[in-house]
Structure formats: C-alpha cells, structure tokens
Amino acid sequence: MTGLAGVRTRLLRDRDELYVGGEWVRSQSRSVIEVENPATERIVASVVAGDGADVERAVGAARTAWPAWGRRPVEERARLVSRLADELAARGGELGVVTATEIGTPLRQAIAAQAGMPVEVLRASVRVAQRHPWRQSLAGSTVVREPAGVVAAITPWNYPLHQIAAKVGPALLAGCAVVLKPSGLAPLNAFAFAECVAAAGLPPGVFNLVTGPGREVGEALVTHPDVAVVSLTGSVASGARVGQLAAAGVKRCCLELGGKSANVLLDDADLDVAIPSAVWQGLANSGQACNALSRVVAPRDRVAEVEERLVAAVEELRVGDPFADGTDLGPLISAAQRDSVRSHIAGALASGARLLTGGPRAPEGLDRGHFLRPSVFSRVAPDSPLAQDEVFGPVLVVLPYTGESEAVAIANASRYGLSGGVWSADPDRAARVAGQMRTGQVKVNGVRTRDRFDAPFGGYGHSGVGRELGEFGIDEFVEVKSILR
C-alpha cells in the first residue's frame, strides 16, 4: 500500500528532537528510547530520552507562555483547540497507523478509537468550555475561575492520544500551559500530536513535549517548583509515587490509576445484546484498558448460559496481525506485559479456577509477537487475585450471585472503583442498582464512555483522585477566587 508506506516513512521514524517553546529543539541527552512493534518484536524507531535539563527548559517555556495565554478570552482558546481537533481529524488514518504499529491495536479500531476519540474529546471539551461558569455570582460574591498555571501531563501507552487529549485539551481551555511526558512504550503518537499543535497555530510554549524515563523526566516534572498541577494516568504504584512527591510541593494531583470493574447482568438482562457488549467492553484493545469491564457478575440460575455464550463469542474473536483484515485483537504491548498476564492465568489455574477458553499460550501460528488467546474463567472466588487484581490483559472472570444485594456486594468488593456496567430490561432498575455501586462511572445497558465525553471520568479508592472530561475535567486545572464586596 503506497499510502501506508508513506505514513511509515514520515511518522514511524527516529525522533532526535523535543518540542519546546514552539520549536523542535535538540536535547543535551544522548540516550534514546527504542520503540518496539509488539506484533513483530522489531524496533521501528527510536526517540530521544530527555533529562532534567530538558524539563527545566520546557517548564520555563510553559511558565513564560501561560500568563498571556490565560488572559486570552476563552472563545479564542476554544477556537485554537478546535483547530487542533481539526488537525488530528485530518490525520486520522496516519495516526491510526502509528498507534497500530507501536501498540498493536488492530488498524480499523486504531483509526476509529485510538485516533478518533481524541478528536471527540477535544471537541466535547470545547463545547463544555464555551458554557462553563468562568465567572458567576454566588452567595453575595463574584466567583472567578482562573488558570492554575503550568501543568505536567504524564500519559500512558494503552490509549495514548486519547489520554493526551483528555489532559491537554481541558488544561489549554482553562488557560494553562502544558508539559507532556508520554509513555516510553508508545511515544511516537505524541510527536505526531505536537506536529498538530504546531499546525493549529497554538502560541509557542503553551504545549511542550519531553520524552524520557519516569524516574528522571517524570519526577523532575512533578517536583519542579513552577509546576502547579500534575495529571497522571498510570499504575497505582506510579500514582502513589507521584502523590508522595507532589505533596512536598503542595501540588494538586489528578490521578487516574486503573480498575477492576464489574459488569452486572441482572436476571432480566437481554443476553443477546449484553454478551457481545460484555465481551467487547472487557477485551477491547486486548483488555489493556483501565476501564475494562473484566468481571462479569451473572445470576446464579443463568450463569451456565452466560458462560456458554461468553465462550462462543470469545472464540469467534480473531487474534493476529493488527494490519490484517478481520483482526479483532492484537498483541499485548510488551513481553513483560504478556508474561504478567500469563502469571495471573497460571495463578488462577493453580488455585482451582476453571478455564473455559483461552489459556497462557499464544494462538497457533503466532509464535512471534506478544500475543495471547483471550481467556474466560469461572469458579473464581470473588476475593481471589484474578477477581481482585488488574490483569490488564484479555481475561474475563464470571462471578455468580443470588439476588441484587449480593450482585452489588460483589461489584463493590474491590479496592478499585473506576467503571462498571449494569444490564436490565428495566432501565430504571438498572439505574437504581448503578446508584449502589461504589465506582466513578457506571454504564447502563452498554453505553460506552466515548458516548458521553461531556460526563466526568475518574475513580474511587485505588482508582485515583480527581476527574477527567466535562466540566469536572476543566476544573482540575483552575483556581477558584471569591471576590467579596
């Protein structure tokens, strides 16, 4: 494919410069990060691994830029963020190729979701910003929302462009300037995003890109005295470390740290609709999603039917080359992630859980690449590691219940609380059960997060602190002032 070859030549290439102050600049660091294609295990590019000096330069550029940016009318900021969305939309096919290559998401899904969702997020954020109460009368005072200042955005590899957009868009609309540190496992899309920023005409310094290791670049950002807000999506361990470091500087943190979300099928659920949705909301992107509904909570008197239907649907999924027609699931991001999932599967088997389909081996013919067959388990104790730990891979567990109260108890028996689902023929009944679930977002009858990008997203407990998207997402990046007179 000539077009595909052109994209690979232009975007899947070595990057030896960082984007700082509106320019592509050289780093003093000579270290690099190699980017692997997880489907082939081949290195497709390398990017510069920045250091503390690069962080200093980027934060300085952001600090210089944000006062003037914050004084611009929100209509002007919204216009430029809309232009950024347009730039991303125009390059959707190219961005899909990049993410399919460095993450392994099947190309058609990469174009629709990995490249499409960031556009939707930015446009939804613009709509929210245009109606946001930046200045309002309240309790005899004038309440003003002002930009917090410089934002450090630290993003993951699994939905990288989406997470960049979910942090950068609201921060820019709030009048802040941003320094982005993307994951070293999937950094190429961030360079493409920076190119879109430049093409959209955003002022120099309001967006800056520094790649590098978390221990050096990430921690330098978090502890920098001129950074006002830290927004991280990552593991619980990463979030705890960032929170600890930020506390010394009394910085605000927005931490989205993953989940182990339950999909509750009530006894009147329509399984013809619920099961295909349950499979996709649990296994999309090979289960590498923080809001994956990986626990299927099913009525005890229907659990055999639920398991049979899940197995049939999962066994129809095609695992393979992300660029091949008809592929449903690609590889895991890395050998380490694949081996971690295998360890969870092995532990479950050793504890007596019943494997209905899948297992720890790659599908036949896929010996190269970090592939695994999607798995479904039953006879899993609700307090077992497989039912409690975030596997972050293509694994579903079925947990039976008797009565609504037990279903809710199982759903809530988790240290996480990011997402969830409820299915019922009666939407009001589903909403009532959803109201009892201790989680930041609950999807009724298959509604997806991407269907409601104006709604807040974030979690309870170990799923994090703060919210993204909608008005709540913008308010993570503002200071609130009361003018009394």
Side-chain angles (χ1 to χ4, degrees):
M1 295 173 61
T2 303
L4 183 59
V7 170
R8 285 178 164 152
T9 300
R10 196 178 75 78
L11 293 180
L12 299 175
R13 59 182 172 86
D14 294 348
R15 299 280 191 163
D16 58 3
E17 294 180 319
L18 304 171
Y19 190 72
V20 177
E23 298 179 342
W24 292 101
V25 300
R26 291 275 183 174
S27 170
Q28 293 181 0
S29 170
R30 292 297 174 261
S31 299
V32 298
I33 299 169
E34 292 186 328
V35 183
E36 181 193 60
N37 179 335
T40 64
E41 302 184 46
R42 295 192 179 98
I43 302 302
V44 295
S46 67
V47 303
V48 60
D51 57 19
D54 296 309
V55 170
E56 190 66 41
R57 183 162 47 169
V59 173
R63 183 184 61 239
T64 299
W66 83 259
W69 175 248
R71 286 193 296 269
R72 288 197 181 199
V74 68
E75 292 79 13
E76 289 188 22
R77 300 198 297 262
R79 178 175 55 81
L80 287 168
V81 173
S82 292
R83 191 178 296 172
L84 172 58
D86 292 342
E87 289 291 336
L88 288 170
R91 306 179 193 203
E94 294 184 353
L95 295 172
V97 170
V98 173
T99 52
T101 302
E102 64 181 343
I103 300 163
T105 306
L107 180 60
R108 59 188 171 85
Q109 300 167 28
I111 293 172
Q114 297 279 14
M117 287 196 302
V119 175
E120 296 173 32
V121 166
L122 291 177
R123 289 175 174 165
S125 298
V126 166
R127 292 193 300 269
V128 169
Q130 290 171 331
R131 64 173 187 262
H132 202 50
W134 298 102
R135 190 179 187 92
Q136 63 185 131
S137 296
L138 184 65
S141 66
T142 300
V143 176
V144 181
R145 287 174 169 83
E146 298 179 338
V150 177
V151 172
I154 303 173
T155 53
W157 51 262
N158 60 325
Y159 283 94
L161 276 172
H162 165 67
Q163 287 298 148
I164 291 171
K167 298 179 190 302
V168 173
L172 293 179
L173 289 163
C176 297
V178 180
V179 181
L180 169 68
K181 192 209 88 67
S183 167
L185 288 173
L188 296 176
N189 63 88
F191 285 87
F193 185 90
E195 291 177 350
C196 291
V197 167
L202 271 77
V206 300
F207 172 83
N208 306 273
L209 169 65
V210 180
T211 47
R215 283 288 180 181
E216 187 167 0
V217 171
E219 294 196 2
L221 273 172
V222 173
T223 58
H224 197 290
D226 290 327
V227 168
V229 181
V230 179
S231 182
L232 165 88
T233 298
S235 67
V236 172
S238 296
R241 176 65 176 166
V242 165
Q244 180 186 40
L245 293 172
V250 197
K251 298 178 191 293
R252 189 187 318 162
C253 289
C254 180
L255 307 173
E256 195 267 278
L257 307 179
K260 187 68 176 180
S261 301
N263 202 358
V264 178
L265 310 181
L266 296 179
D267 55 16
D268 62 346
D270 181 353
L271 298 185
D272 288 339
V273 181
I275 294 300
S277 173
V279 168
W280 197 243
Q281 295 215 37
L283 300 180
N285 205 34
S286 296
Q288 299 170 122
C290 54
N291 63 342
L293 303 184
S294 56
R295 294 186 293 151
V296 180
V297 183
R300 198 172 300 275
D301 60 0
R302 300 188 72 184
V303 73
E305 181 186 5
V306 168
E307 290 175 352
E308 181 181 353
R309 285 172 175 259
L310 282 174
V311 169
V314 167
E315 290 183 345
E316 288 182 359
L317 297 176
R318 290 184 57 186
V319 181
D321 178 0
F323 288 93
D325 291 339
T327 297
D328 297 302
L329 301 180
L332 281 296
I333 185 66
S334 66
Q337 184 60 31
R338 178 201 59 203
D339 292 346
S340 173
V341 177
R342 281 177 171 169
S343 178
H344 281 96
I345 292 172
L349 291 172
S351 69
R354 181 187 175 200
L355 178 65
L356 300 178
T357 190
R361 297 189 304 277
E364 187 175 351
L366 292 174
D367 297 328
R368 189 175 184 86
H370 310 310
F371 294 97
L372 279 181
R373 294 179 293 166
S375 297
V376 180
F377 277 90
S378 70
R379 297 179 187 170
V380 177
D383 59 351
S384 67
L386 195 67
Q388 290 294 315
D389 295 342
E390 184 178 36
V391 175
F392 225 64
V395 179
L396 296 176
V397 297
V398 181
L399 303 171
Y401 72 88
T402 303
E404 281 185 16
S405 60
E406 186 181 9
V408 171
I410 291 171
N412 289 341
S414 171
R415 64 184 179 276
Y416 296 105
L418 183 61
S419 188
V422 183
W423 287 83
S424 173
D426 180 352
D428 292 335
R429 182 190 180 198
R432 176 173 54 77
V433 171
Q436 300 173 59
M437 294 170 65
R438 296 280 299 170
T439 188
Q441 192 173 84
V442 186
K443 307 163 188 177
V444 172
N445 288 343
V447 173
R448 303 168 301 172
T449 299
R450 67 178 297 180
D451 297 326
R452 302 286 189 273
F453 277 141
D454 290 2
F457 179 80
Y460 292 22
H462 283 200
S463 286
V465 178
R467 293 295 182 270
E468 293 185 329
L469 306 178
E471 294 184 4
F472 293 88
I474 289 176
D475 276 347
E476 293 291 340
F477 304 109
V478 303
E479 295 287 2
V480 178
K481 176 190 292 181
S482 297
I483 302 174
L484 313 179
R485 58 178 182 173

